[in-house]
Amino acid sequence: MKTIYNVKALCVVALLGSAAAASAQEDVTKEKNLNREMTLEREYDPSVQDASKVNTLPVVKEPEVRKIPIDYSNYTIAADPQKEISLLPSGNIMTQMDYNKRRGYFNFGVGTYLNINGDLGYHILSTEKDKLNIWYSHRSTNGKVKYIQMDDEKVKAKINDNLGGINFKHVFDKTIFSIGAKYGYSAFNYYGLPIADAWSMMAEGSLERADRETNQVNQTIAANIGFESKEDAPFGYLLDLGYINFSHKYGLGKPADGPTEHTFDAKFDLNAGFNGNMRIGLGGQVEYFNYNLPGKKETASGTYYTSEFENHAEVILSPYYKIEGDSWNLKLGANVMLVTGDNSKFMASPNIAADIEVADKTLLYLNAGGKLYSNSMYETSLVNRYVNPTKEIAPSRNWLDATLGIKSGVAPGFWFDVFAGYKITSSDVLFLPSRIYDRDHFGNFSEAMSDIDTKQLFIGANLKYSYQQLFDVSLKGVYNNWKANYGDTWIGGEANGELAHAWGKPEMEVTAGLTVRPVKNVSVLLDYYLATGRYTQLGGAGEYKMNNINELNLTGTYTFNDTFGVYAKLNNILCQKYEVYYGYPLQSFSAMIGVNINF
């Protein structure tokens, strides 16, 4: 990768006059929303708490709204997705209806490429003390896409994602109790373009040898139970216990069985307030990963060996101290992290946050933290479902993730955030196309290049403006300067050697959106996403510059009343051709129509 990139101007042409979301391409965002509900992170509130969220910007602080979806497709997601919980909102999933009187919601949409969206949920209990809801969501596609590298070659991209669950919360006088369970079923094919060897992109017969028809099946069973104190309690506590069972049906190919991962998770926090504005505490998380691995299997085509996974634990301890002033806040702490196993690792990172009001409704802020990413089978599947299902990926150790910025809501309806930061990560994960496979192998999965140390310098700005209820405008641009090196344990390359690029990582990202409400019952949304400067590596064929992600989506909705609404979506209306991972093209122009019902 270049050591220094020439800084490009952060600009975007926001062709804003209608509206957008996505059908096939929005489905990935919905897929992320669904999958992330299964992570059972303890911040998750089993009630659909953002159902009646209003799309206006507060005057004083940053609006509590979800990031505009970056909709690549309904069968893959961004190369570096944010780790966040996105709840499925009741009522306004597609039509921005307010949920306040109805307990149930139903959404159904169908479009080109046989894209289908469906959501169904019901609040059995919905009181101040008790909340009990059940829900189910479906995303699927079964259409042909065209390889970017081969204009005359089309392949069917299939996905069938289903996720359902039940959640309960009860508020006692001093304690909040929650419990939930979820089940996910995802079937998809490895339709990507394989690379036959390190010296050519496509050898004769490589497409025929690759199994692009068989559906891999991933299943997830997840459950959690937790207790936490109410906000601002003199003595605060949190204890959450979770379990995730995640399995692949197949290994490298149909003849081979896939591995199963069992994750046992405990998250805790103990804290106490003193002197009126101070609080001291200790948080932490313990995860244990246990694997059931298939043995070797003899077939007419050869021998299939067991998957490569090791049982291990990951521990994080986070002591901290907080103090609140009249116009400032400060948190001082550290994260101490340990990974057990043959390749045990120990690390520590800061856990610091500070902000101060430097002017009316204007904050100067600093965040400096670090994190341990487990890169488990389950978590990796949320980032890239097409990764090699038999290879363990080492945990990523984020030593520093620091951001300095200033944000303000000083003008009515206007909010901005200007920031810069630096991030250092050991054993980061970069995805490259597979180059070696045997008969009956899928042969076109992504390989995780895991022992890579990365440094990321970024600078950006985020602007939002809302004028009454007539329209909302948002614009965000980020420039990234990446540097990547082989780690100390890299096999098959020079230790500590520098990579030409941080494979797959974007140099610049721009997100823009406009929502217009010309009349009471009509809403149109236009959203745009641009990602540039992405490269991959094709072995002996050298580096390959991937097409920019350049997507414009339009959505229009009409709400008849508080019960019934309809919507129409036009996705990738610029008809751009691109892929997030090499060999996996995304859908071109697509359309969807649907209905949304509150009951």
Side-chain angles (χ1 to χ4, degrees):
M1 175 183 177
K2 304 173 186 175
T3 305
I4 301 290
Y5 282 103
N6 293 327
V7 178
K8 299 181 179 180
L10 293 176
C11 63
V12 63
V13 182
L15 308 174
L16 307 173
S18 309
S23 67
Q25 264 110 10
E26 185 209 52
D27 296 347
V28 60
T29 297
K30 298 305 178 185
E31 173 189 340
K32 289 193 291 184
N33 292 349
L34 302 184
N35 286 338
R36 284 167 181 165
E37 284 203 301
M38 291 195 295
T39 62
L40 294 178
E41 294 185 12
R42 301 313 153 232
E43 295 86 343
Y44 174 64
D45 184 342
S47 65
V48 186
Q49 55 185 314
D50 61 351
S52 59
K53 188 175 294 177
V54 179
N55 294 319
T56 59
L57 303 180
V59 175
V60 178
K61 61 180 182 178
E62 177 178 357
E64 296 294 331
V65 295
R66 287 197 303 266
K67 179 181 177 182
I68 292 177
I70 298 174
D71 300 324
Y72 295 97
S73 80
N74 61 322
Y75 45 85
T76 188
I77 63 175
D80 190 17
Q82 294 186 357
K83 305 290 184 181
E84 63 182 18
I85 293 294
S86 295
L87 302 181
L88 288 174
S90 171
N92 62 353
I93 294 178
M94 297 297 175
T95 56
Q96 300 186 13
M97 294 180 186
D98 290 337
Y99 173 79
N100 50 13
K101 301 177 182 178
R102 309 303 177 88
R103 291 195 173 191
Y105 62 90
F106 171 74
N107 162 64
F108 180 77
V110 61
T112 56
Y113 295 92
L114 290 181
N115 295 320
I116 298 176
N117 287 359
D119 301 287
L120 177 65
Y122 190 75
H123 297 261
I124 301 173
L125 298 176
S126 184
T127 66
E128 292 185 0
K129 286 193 173 183
D130 293 291
K131 297 185 184 299
L132 172 64
N133 67 300
I134 57 175
W135 50 270
Y136 166 76
S137 291
H138 170 87
R139 301 290 182 268
S140 63
T141 188
N142 194 18
K144 288 189 175 182
V145 294
K146 184 180 292 186
Y147 288 126
I148 293 177
Q149 296 79 8
M150 303 174 65
D151 291 336
D152 58 345
E153 182 71 22
K154 288 186 176 181
V155 63
K156 181 172 288 188
K158 300 180 290 183
I159 188 171
N160 186 343
D161 276 358
N162 300 272
L163 182 65
I166 181 169
N167 302 285
F168 173 73
K169 182 174 75 172
H170 178 76
V171 179
F172 293 95
D173 291 339
K174 298 181 179 181
T175 300
I176 301 174
F177 168 74
S178 62
I179 188 170
K182 303 179 178 71
Y183 172 74
Y185 177 95
S186 176
F188 59 95
N189 66 322
Y190 294 89
Y191 70 92
L193 178 67
I195 299 176
D197 54 50
W199 303 103
S200 65
M201 291 176 58
M202 292 160 289
E204 183 178 356
S206 63
L207 290 179
E208 287 71 23
R209 292 200 303 272
D211 183 356
R212 297 180 292 168
E213 295 298 325
T214 299
N215 285 344
Q216 174 71 280
V217 176
N218 294 343
Q219 295 190 72
T220 304
I221 301 172
N224 74 294
I225 184 172
F227 301 86
E228 64 178 305
S229 60
K230 290 187 176 181
E231 187 177 0
D232 297 327
F235 178 77
Y237 57 88
L238 166 72
L239 175 62
D240 276 326
L241 304 176
Y243 169 74
I244 300 176
N245 179 306
F246 180 79
S247 64
H248 296 292
K249 183 176 182 180
Y250 302 118
L252 292 177
K254 190 174 181 180
D257 295 332
T260 298
E261 176 182 74
H262 306 270
T263 303
F264 302 89
D265 171 56
K267 183 180 290 186
F268 65 90
D269 188 279
L270 299 173
N271 58 82
F274 62 98
N275 286 348
N277 63 342
M278 300 181 184
R279 185 168 289 268
I280 189 170
L282 174 66
Q285 183 176 12
V286 179
E287 291 182 287
Y288 180 72
F289 301 89
N290 178 271
Y291 297 91
N292 292 340
L293 306 178
K296 69 178 182 178
K297 185 175 183 179
E298 303 289 345
T299 70
S301 302
T303 303
Y304 292 82
Y305 292 94
T306 182
S307 304
E308 302 175 2
F309 292 91
E310 179 191 20
N311 297 343
H312 68 279
E314 298 176 10
V315 181
I316 302 175
L317 293 177
S318 301
Y320 61 87
Y321 164 78
K322 292 181 179 180
I323 182 172
E324 296 182 3
D326 294 335
S327 60
W328 55 274
N329 298 282
L330 176 65
K331 176 183 178 181
L332 299 175
N335 297 319
V336 180
M337 293 163 268
L338 172 68
V339 180
T340 68
D342 291 340
N343 298 313
S344 61
K345 300 289 183 180
F346 173 85
M347 67 165 286
S349 72
N351 183 12
I352 299 172
D355 63 72
I356 182 171
E357 187 174 358
V358 295
D360 184 33
K361 302 172 186 176
T362 301
L363 289 178
L364 177 68
Y365 65 91
L366 169 68
N367 295 313
K371 189 173 182 180
L372 183 67
Y373 296 96
S374 68
N375 296 328
S376 63
M377 279 172 44
Y378 170 71
E379 287 193 354
T380 302
S381 72
L382 302 183
V383 178
N384 183 357
R385 69 169 75 227
Y386 304 107
V387 73
N388 183 340
T390 68
K391 183 179 178 181
E392 184 174 23
I393 304 175
S396 296
R397 305 184 305 282
N398 175 215
W399 299 86
L400 177 66
D401 187 356
T403 303
L404 174 66
I406 184 169
K407 61 177 65 176
S408 176
V410 64
F414 177 72
W415 173 89
F416 72 85
D417 182 11
V418 179
F419 55 88
Y422 193 62
K423 188 173 182 178
I424 303 174
T425 305
S426 296
S427 296
D428 206 348
V429 181
L430 308 179
F431 295 103
L432 295 176
S434 174
R435 301 192 302 272
I436 301 175
Y437 62 95
D438 203 349
R439 185 174 299 278
D440 294 330
H441 283 196
F442 293 119
N444 41 10
F445 39 73
S446 293
E447 289 288 2
M449 191 178 187
S450 60
D451 189 35
I452 303 297
D453 298 337
T454 62
K455 296 179 180 178
Q456 177 192 5
L457 174 67
F458 59 91
I459 183 171
N462 191 2
L463 312 174
K464 298 180 182 180
Y465 178 70
S466 175
Y467 181 71
Q468 297 180 359
Q469 290 294 315
L470 295 180
F471 66 87
D472 301 326
V473 181
S474 64
L475 174 62
K476 181 178 181 180
V478 180
Y479 169 77
N480 301 295
N481 184 351
W482 292 94
K483 188 174 183 179
N485 293 76
Y486 295 118
D488 293 335
T489 60
W490 172 257
I491 299 176
E494 181 182 354
N496 297 320
E498 184 176 345
L499 276 69
H501 302 276
W503 309 119
K505 302 291 188 179
E507 180 183 27
M508 185 174 71
E509 294 180 279
V510 176
T511 306
L514 172 66
T515 300
V516 180
R517 306 173 190 89
V519 295
K520 180 180 179 181
N521 295 335
V522 175
S523 176
V524 289
L525 167 68
L526 191 69
D527 69 68
Y528 175 77
Y529 178 73
L530 172 69
T532 68
R534 300 178 306 126
Y535 289 82
T536 191
Q537 210 271 345
L538 303 181
E543 67 182 45
Y544 173 82
K545 190 177 188 306
M546 303 174 70
N547 290 357
N548 294 338
I549 299 176
N550 184 14
E551 180 162 328
L552 183 65
N553 301 317
L554 175 68
T555 298
T557 67
Y558 182 78
T559 303
F560 293 94
N561 48 46
D562 62 357
T563 299
F564 183 74
V566 296
Y567 61 91
K569 295 169 175 285
L570 302 177
N571 311 290
N572 193 9
I573 59 180
L574 300 179
C575 301
Q576 298 295 296
K577 296 181 179 180
Y578 55 81
E579 52 201 349
V580 175
Y581 304 109
Y582 175 87
Y584 283 88
L586 308 188
Q587 296 177 358
S588 185
F589 173 79
S590 62
M592 173 175 282
I593 58 174
V595 298
N596 193 70
I597 301 173
N598 281 336
F599 58 90

PDB file of all heavy atoms in Angstrom, residues 568-583:
ATOM      1  N   ALA A 568     -42.202   2.370  -2.597  1.00  0.00           N
ATOM      2  CA  ALA A 568     -41.530   1.918  -3.810  1.00  0.00           C
ATOM      3  C   ALA A 568     -40.072   2.325  -3.724  1.00  0.00           C
ATOM      4  O   ALA A 568     -39.747   3.405  -3.234  1.00  0.00           O
ATOM      5  CB  ALA A 568     -42.185   2.523  -5.048  1.00  0.00           C
ATOM      6  N   LYS A 569     -39.186   1.442  -4.222  1.00  0.00           N
ATOM      7  CA  LYS A 569     -37.754   1.687  -4.116  1.00  0.00           C
ATOM      8  C   LYS A 569     -37.094   1.483  -5.478  1.00  0.00           C
ATOM      9  O   LYS A 569     -37.420   0.548  -6.200  1.00  0.00           O
ATOM     10  CB  LYS A 569     -37.114   0.709  -3.129  1.00  0.00           C
ATOM     11  CG  LYS A 569     -37.564   0.853  -1.703  1.00  0.00           C
ATOM     12  CD  LYS A 569     -37.069  -0.341  -0.892  1.00  0.00           C
ATOM     13  CE  LYS A 569     -37.392  -0.175   0.575  1.00  0.00           C
ATOM     14  NZ  LYS A 569     -36.533   0.781   1.248  1.00  0.00           N
ATOM     15  N   LEU A 570     -36.169   2.364  -5.798  1.00  0.00           N
ATOM     16  CA  LEU A 570     -35.298   2.217  -6.956  1.00  0.00           C
ATOM     17  C   LEU A 570     -33.872   2.230  -6.429  1.00  0.00           C
ATOM     18  O   LEU A 570     -33.456   3.202  -5.784  1.00  0.00           O
ATOM     19  CB  LEU A 570     -35.519   3.351  -7.954  1.00  0.00           C
ATOM     20  CG  LEU A 570     -36.941   3.523  -8.499  1.00  0.00           C
ATOM     21  CD1 LEU A 570     -37.008   4.729  -9.425  1.00  0.00           C
ATOM     22  CD2 LEU A 570     -37.402   2.258  -9.224  1.00  0.00           C
ATOM     23  N   ASN A 571     -33.132   1.182  -6.716  1.00  0.00           N
ATOM     24  CA  ASN A 571     -31.816   1.003  -6.114  1.00  0.00           C
ATOM     25  C   ASN A 571     -30.720   0.978  -7.174  1.00  0.00           C
ATOM     26  O   ASN A 571     -30.903   0.440  -8.260  1.00  0.00           O
ATOM     27  CB  ASN A 571     -31.776  -0.306  -5.336  1.00  0.00           C
ATOM     28  CG  ASN A 571     -32.970  -0.434  -4.430  1.00  0.00           C
ATOM     29  OD1 ASN A 571     -33.083   0.282  -3.446  1.00  0.00           O
ATOM     30  ND2 ASN A 571     -33.894  -1.315  -4.785  1.00  0.00           N
ATOM     31  N   ASN A 572     -29.592   1.563  -6.832  1.00  0.00           N
ATOM     32  CA  ASN A 572     -28.466   1.667  -7.763  1.00  0.00           C
ATOM     33  C   ASN A 572     -28.941   2.258  -9.086  1.00  0.00           C
ATOM     34  O   ASN A 572     -28.716   1.705 -10.160  1.00  0.00           O
ATOM     35  CB  ASN A 572     -27.810   0.303  -7.981  1.00  0.00           C
ATOM     36  CG  ASN A 572     -26.465   0.401  -8.663  1.00  0.00           C
ATOM     37  OD1 ASN A 572     -25.910   1.485  -8.848  1.00  0.00           O
ATOM     38  ND2 ASN A 572     -25.933  -0.744  -9.071  1.00  0.00           N
ATOM     39  N   ILE A 573     -29.605   3.400  -9.007  1.00  0.00           N
ATOM     40  CA  ILE A 573     -30.231   3.978 -10.203  1.00  0.00           C
ATOM     41  C   ILE A 573     -29.204   4.527 -11.188  1.00  0.00           C
ATOM     42  O   ILE A 573     -29.550   4.856 -12.325  1.00  0.00           O
ATOM     43  CB  ILE A 573     -31.242   5.081  -9.816  1.00  0.00           C
ATOM     44  CG1 ILE A 573     -30.569   6.206  -9.022  1.00  0.00           C
ATOM     45  CG2 ILE A 573     -32.391   4.490  -9.030  1.00  0.00           C
ATOM     46  CD1 ILE A 573     -31.522   7.308  -8.617  1.00  0.00           C
ATOM     47  N   LEU A 574     -27.933   4.604 -10.788  1.00  0.00           N
ATOM     48  CA  LEU A 574     -26.879   4.974 -11.728  1.00  0.00           C
ATOM     49  C   LEU A 574     -26.339   3.758 -12.479  1.00  0.00           C
ATOM     50  O   LEU A 574     -25.464   3.887 -13.330  1.00  0.00           O
ATOM     51  CB  LEU A 574     -25.725   5.665 -10.988  1.00  0.00           C
ATOM     52  CG  LEU A 574     -26.079   6.956 -10.250  1.00  0.00           C
ATOM     53  CD1 LEU A 574     -24.845   7.514  -9.548  1.00  0.00           C
ATOM     54  CD2 LEU A 574     -26.673   7.976 -11.199  1.00  0.00           C
ATOM     55  N   CYS A 575     -26.862   2.555 -12.138  1.00  0.00           N
ATOM     56  CA  CYS A 575     -26.491   1.299 -12.821  1.00  0.00           C
ATOM     57  C   CYS A 575     -24.982   1.051 -12.759  1.00  0.00           C
ATOM     58  O   CYS A 575     -24.366   0.625 -13.751  1.00  0.00           O
ATOM     59  CB  CYS A 575     -26.980   1.292 -14.263  1.00  0.00           C
ATOM     60  SG  CYS A 575     -28.760   1.462 -14.443  1.00  0.00           S
ATOM     61  N   GLN A 576     -24.381   1.305 -11.605  1.00  0.00           N
ATOM     62  CA  GLN A 576     -22.952   1.102 -11.447  1.00  0.00           C
ATOM     63  C   GLN A 576     -22.631  -0.368 -11.190  1.00  0.00           C
ATOM     64  O   GLN A 576     -23.415  -1.103 -10.597  1.00  0.00           O
ATOM     65  CB  GLN A 576     -22.429   1.954 -10.295  1.00  0.00           C
ATOM     66  CG  GLN A 576     -22.598   3.450 -10.510  1.00  0.00           C
ATOM     67  CD  GLN A 576     -21.769   3.963 -11.659  1.00  0.00           C
ATOM     68  OE1 GLN A 576     -20.536   3.911 -11.619  1.00  0.00           O
ATOM     69  NE2 GLN A 576     -22.436   4.430 -12.701  1.00  0.00           N
ATOM     70  N   LYS A 577     -21.454  -0.798 -11.641  1.00  0.00           N
ATOM     71  CA  LYS A 577     -20.989  -2.163 -11.417  1.00  0.00           C
ATOM     72  C   LYS A 577     -19.843  -2.126 -10.413  1.00  0.00           C
ATOM     73  O   LYS A 577     -18.838  -1.453 -10.626  1.00  0.00           O
ATOM     74  CB  LYS A 577     -20.514  -2.779 -12.721  1.00  0.00           C
ATOM     75  CG  LYS A 577     -21.610  -2.943 -13.775  1.00  0.00           C
ATOM     76  CD  LYS A 577     -21.055  -3.589 -15.033  1.00  0.00           C
ATOM     77  CE  LYS A 577     -22.154  -3.772 -16.073  1.00  0.00           C
ATOM     78  NZ  LYS A 577     -21.623  -4.399 -17.320  1.00  0.00           N
ATOM     79  N   TYR A 578     -19.994  -2.863  -9.328  1.00  0.00           N
ATOM     80  CA  TYR A 578     -18.950  -2.902  -8.321  1.00  0.00           C
ATOM     81  C   TYR A 578     -19.126  -4.137  -7.457  1.00  0.00           C
ATOM     82  O   TYR A 578     -20.114  -4.871  -7.554  1.00  0.00           O
ATOM     83  CB  TYR A 578     -18.956  -1.641  -7.458  1.00  0.00           C
ATOM     84  CG  TYR A 578     -20.279  -1.341  -6.796  1.00  0.00           C
ATOM     85  CD1 TYR A 578     -20.645  -1.986  -5.623  1.00  0.00           C
ATOM     86  CD2 TYR A 578     -21.159  -0.418  -7.338  1.00  0.00           C
ATOM     87  CE1 TYR A 578     -21.854  -1.719  -5.011  1.00  0.00           C
ATOM     88  CE2 TYR A 578     -22.369  -0.140  -6.730  1.00  0.00           C
ATOM     89  CZ  TYR A 578     -22.704  -0.793  -5.570  1.00  0.00           C
ATOM     90  OH  TYR A 578     -23.908  -0.528  -4.975  1.00  0.00           O
ATOM     91  N   GLU A 579     -18.155  -4.383  -6.606  1.00  0.00           N
ATOM     92  CA  GLU A 579     -18.172  -5.521  -5.693  1.00  0.00           C
ATOM     93  C   GLU A 579     -17.490  -5.104  -4.400  1.00  0.00           C
ATOM     94  O   GLU A 579     -16.581  -4.272  -4.403  1.00  0.00           O
ATOM     95  CB  GLU A 579     -17.454  -6.728  -6.323  1.00  0.00           C
ATOM     96  CG  GLU A 579     -16.074  -6.382  -6.833  1.00  0.00           C
ATOM     97  CD  GLU A 579     -15.548  -7.349  -7.876  1.00  0.00           C
ATOM     98  OE1 GLU A 579     -16.145  -8.421  -8.073  1.00  0.00           O
ATOM     99  OE2 GLU A 579     -14.522  -7.035  -8.495  1.00  0.00           O
ATOM    100  N   VAL A 580     -17.947  -5.625  -3.289  1.00  0.00           N
ATOM    101  CA  VAL A 580     -17.294  -5.366  -2.018  1.00  0.00           C
ATOM    102  C   VAL A 580     -16.114  -6.307  -1.857  1.00  0.00           C
ATOM    103  O   VAL A 580     -15.039  -5.910  -1.413  1.00  0.00           O
ATOM    104  CB  VAL A 580     -18.283  -5.526  -0.854  1.00  0.00           C
ATOM    105  CG1 VAL A 580     -17.564  -5.375   0.480  1.00  0.00           C
ATOM    106  CG2 VAL A 580     -19.388  -4.495  -0.963  1.00  0.00           C
ATOM    107  N   TYR A 581     -16.274  -7.579  -2.208  1.00  0.00           N
ATOM    108  CA  TYR A 581     -15.202  -8.558  -2.214  1.00  0.00           C
ATOM    109  C   TYR A 581     -15.000  -9.030  -3.641  1.00  0.00           C
ATOM    110  O   TYR A 581     -15.962  -9.248  -4.378  1.00  0.00           O
ATOM    111  CB  TYR A 581     -15.537  -9.733  -1.295  1.00  0.00           C
ATOM    112  CG  TYR A 581     -15.829  -9.301   0.117  1.00  0.00           C
ATOM    113  CD1 TYR A 581     -17.114  -9.363   0.633  1.00  0.00           C
ATOM    114  CD2 TYR A 581     -14.811  -8.798   0.920  1.00  0.00           C
ATOM    115  CE1 TYR A 581     -17.383  -8.937   1.921  1.00  0.00           C
ATOM    116  CE2 TYR A 581     -15.076  -8.368   2.206  1.00  0.00           C
ATOM    117  CZ  TYR A 581     -16.355  -8.444   2.701  1.00  0.00           C
ATOM    118  OH  TYR A 581     -16.626  -8.007   3.973  1.00  0.00           O
ATOM    119  N   TYR A 582     -13.745  -9.217  -4.048  1.00  0.00           N
ATOM    120  CA  TYR A 582     -13.431  -9.583  -5.423  1.00  0.00           C
ATOM    121  C   TYR A 582     -14.202 -10.836  -5.844  1.00  0.00           C
ATOM    122  O   TYR A 582     -14.262 -11.832  -5.123  1.00  0.00           O
ATOM    123  CB  TYR A 582     -11.926  -9.833  -5.574  1.00  0.00           C
ATOM    124  CG  TYR A 582     -11.555 -10.324  -6.951  1.00  0.00           C
ATOM    125  CD1 TYR A 582     -11.295  -9.421  -7.975  1.00  0.00           C
ATOM    126  CD2 TYR A 582     -11.505 -11.680  -7.233  1.00  0.00           C
ATOM    127  CE1 TYR A 582     -10.977  -9.860  -9.246  1.00  0.00           C
ATOM    128  CE2 TYR A 582     -11.188 -12.129  -8.496  1.00  0.00           C
ATOM    129  CZ  TYR A 582     -10.929 -11.220  -9.504  1.00  0.00           C
ATOM    130  OH  TYR A 582     -10.629 -11.668 -10.763  1.00  0.00           O
ATOM    131  N   GLY A 583     -14.778 -10.770  -7.024  1.00  0.00           N
ATOM    132  CA  GLY A 583     -15.464 -11.921  -7.593  1.00  0.00           C
ATOM    133  C   GLY A 583     -16.909 -12.055  -7.186  1.00  0.00           C
ATOM    134  O   GLY A 583     -17.610 -12.931  -7.679  1.00  0.00           O
TER     135      GLY A 583
END
